[in-house]
Amino acid sequence: MGRRRVLPLDAFICLLLSLIISLGTGNIANRVAVKLYEKELLEHQAVDGEIGGRADETVFRAQSVEDLLSHDTFTIVSHGIQYRNEAAGFHGNFYYYGVELPSGERIAARVNDDSVQSTGDSIFSGDTILPLGRVVWEDLTEDETFLSQIEHDVPLTRKDFYVDMVGNTAVLAEDLAIETPKLITQVLTVFVCYPVFHMLGSRLGIFPPYFKKKK
């Protein structure tokens, strides 16, 4: 049987103290991140009539790729939540749906779900009016991982553009915007506090020093 490695008592104490401190710094980081995220949400609220905002009855309803390319702005009408039931994927830190047009053609689209409107009694019935969108030219074939995700079931009809229905409303996901800064703060706290606690303990003669001076 191999030897069991046990953390030295001095290292355990320093690590424990560092973890306790990190709970406090993590809590502070969380509060700051929440306030910054709430501010960002206010600054990026959807505006009707702009990309990512709700599409009213005056907005052109695109039926095909040809319609998308022949109009500066438009919306797409999908049945129920069909647009969310197809394969999707991450590209450039954002989530894209594989949206099927009424023509049967399929394109990639970033959608601001907060501006989606349902004409039925629930999101599962009636039609779903997607937000105001526009075409953004980009070669999607350069991201093979993304294509393998969004084309898992059905291939895209066009891969040289995507539809932006988010615009200025784009913000990081809440967990990334809040939990990530908290976690990073806690890890940095441990890395900083551990050697400080051990150095203080060594100077007080409580812990053995890691490095001994040569006589």
Side-chain angles (χ1 to χ4, degrees):
M1 294 180 64
R3 294 181 178 178
R4 292 183 61 186
R5 295 182 177 274
V6 180
L7 195 66
L9 180 60
D10 57 320
F12 175 79
I13 293 174
C14 292
L15 182 59
L16 179 61
L17 291 173
S18 299
L19 289 173
I20 292 173
I21 297 296
S22 72
L23 293 177
T25 57
N27 184 49
I28 294 173
N30 182 75
R31 292 182 181 180
V32 173
V34 168
K35 290 183 179 180
L36 291 176
Y37 187 67
E38 290 175 347
K39 180 181 178 181
E40 186 176 13
L41 288 177
L42 289 175
E43 293 175 347
H44 292 270
Q45 282 188 330
V47 178
D48 294 347
E50 295 184 5
I51 303 301
R54 289 179 299 179
D56 61 24
E57 64 278 357
T58 66
V59 177
F60 177 73
R61 269 63 171 161
Q63 302 291 313
S64 63
V65 168
E66 183 179 355
D67 286 344
L68 300 180
L69 301 181
S70 60
H71 290 77
D72 293 331
T73 59
F74 47 79
T75 186
I76 299 171
V77 178
S78 177
H79 181 68
I81 57 171
Q82 181 182 359
Y83 79 99
R84 297 177 63 177
N85 289 336
E86 304 292 338
F90 281 95
H91 174 59
N93 295 325
F94 290 102
Y95 195 69
Y96 290 72
Y97 294 111
V99 177
E100 182 177 324
L101 300 170
S103 63
E105 296 168 298
R106 191 165 177 267
I107 49 88
R110 290 171 56 194
V111 179
N112 176 21
D113 290 320
D114 292 336
S115 295
V116 172
Q117 305 170 80
S118 177
T119 62
D121 296 330
S122 70
I123 61 174
F124 301 103
S125 64
D127 289 328
T128 296
I129 304 171
L130 301 186
L132 187 69
R134 66 185 179 93
V135 167
V136 176
W137 294 98
E138 182 177 346
D139 185 4
L140 301 179
T141 62
E142 294 182 353
D143 191 341
E144 295 181 0
T145 301
F146 168 63
L147 282 183
S148 67
Q149 295 171 344
I150 200 168
E151 293 190 316
H152 179 70
D153 297 321
V154 184
L156 296 176
T157 303
R158 294 287 293 265
K159 305 175 186 178
D160 55 343
F161 72 83
Y162 67 85
V163 171
D164 179 18
M165 292 183 163
V166 172
N168 190 50
T169 66
V171 293
L172 284 175
E174 185 174 355
D175 57 341
L176 290 176
I178 297 176
E179 293 301 322
T180 300
K182 176 183 176 181
L183 179 60
I184 292 175
T185 300
Q186 289 178 315
V187 171
L188 289 176
T189 299
V190 172
F191 272 102
V192 171
C193 289
Y194 180 91
V196 171
F197 283 134
H198 201 279
M199 180 185 66
L200 291 175
S202 298
R203 290 187 175 181
L204 294 173
I206 301 173
F207 304 144
Y210 279 140
F211 304 101
K212 295 182 179 180
K213 294 182 179 180
K214 292 183 178 180
K215 293 182 180 181

